[in-house]
Amino acid sequence: MLVLSRKVGELIVVPEYSLTITIVAIEGNKVRLGISAPPEVAVHREEVWRRIEEERMEGRPSDRRVATEIVNKRASPFFITVFHDGGAGHDES
C-alpha cells in the first residue's frame, strides 16, 4: 500500500485511469476527498462496492444504475485509503 501525505488543496494523480484525487478538507479524523474520473472508471466507497458485489453474486438486479453499468462494463474498481493521524508526524519509510 502506498501511503502519501497531502495538504488541503493538494492532488494525487493516477494517470493510467485519468483519475485525480483532491484533498478537499481535513476535519478532525476525517479527510474529505474530491475524485475526478472518466465515466468508465468506477469509484465507490468500499461499503457501496461490497453491496453491489453481493447483489451481483446473488443474481439480484440492483436498483442502482451505476451497479448495472459496472457489471456490464466489467470495470475493475480500486480503493484508495487515506490515513490521517490528526496532525501528528509519521514515518513514511
Side-chain angles (χ1 to χ4, degrees):
M1 172 189 313
L2 173 65
V3 178
L4 302 172
S5 296
R6 301 275 67 202
K7 295 178 182 176
V8 172
E10 293 183 330
L11 306 175
I12 298 169
V13 179
V14 184
E16 290 80 15
Y17 292 96
S18 300
L19 181 73
T20 303
I21 301 121
T22 305
I23 308 306
V24 176
I26 301 172
E27 302 165 354
N29 65 350
K30 289 187 178 181
V31 177
R32 293 181 54 89
L33 303 173
I35 301 173
S36 298
E40 65 272 10
V41 176
V43 179
H44 299 287
R45 294 184 318 228
E46 181 181 15
E47 63 273 16
V48 172
W49 175 250
R50 288 185 188 279
R51 187 172 68 238
I52 291 168
E53 278 296 287
E54 287 172 9
E55 290 174 359
R56 186 179 69 80
M57 296 302 279
E58 293 173 1
R60 292 186 300 164
S62 175
D63 60 351
R64 296 178 165 268
R65 179 185 58 82
V66 175
T68 303
E69 289 176 4
I70 291 169
V71 170
N72 290 339
K73 292 183 180 183
R74 302 196 190 290
S76 298
F78 53 92
F79 300 101
I80 298 168
T81 303
V82 177
F83 295 94
H84 178 61
D85 60 7
H90 65 281
D91 183 13
E92 292 187 20
S93 55

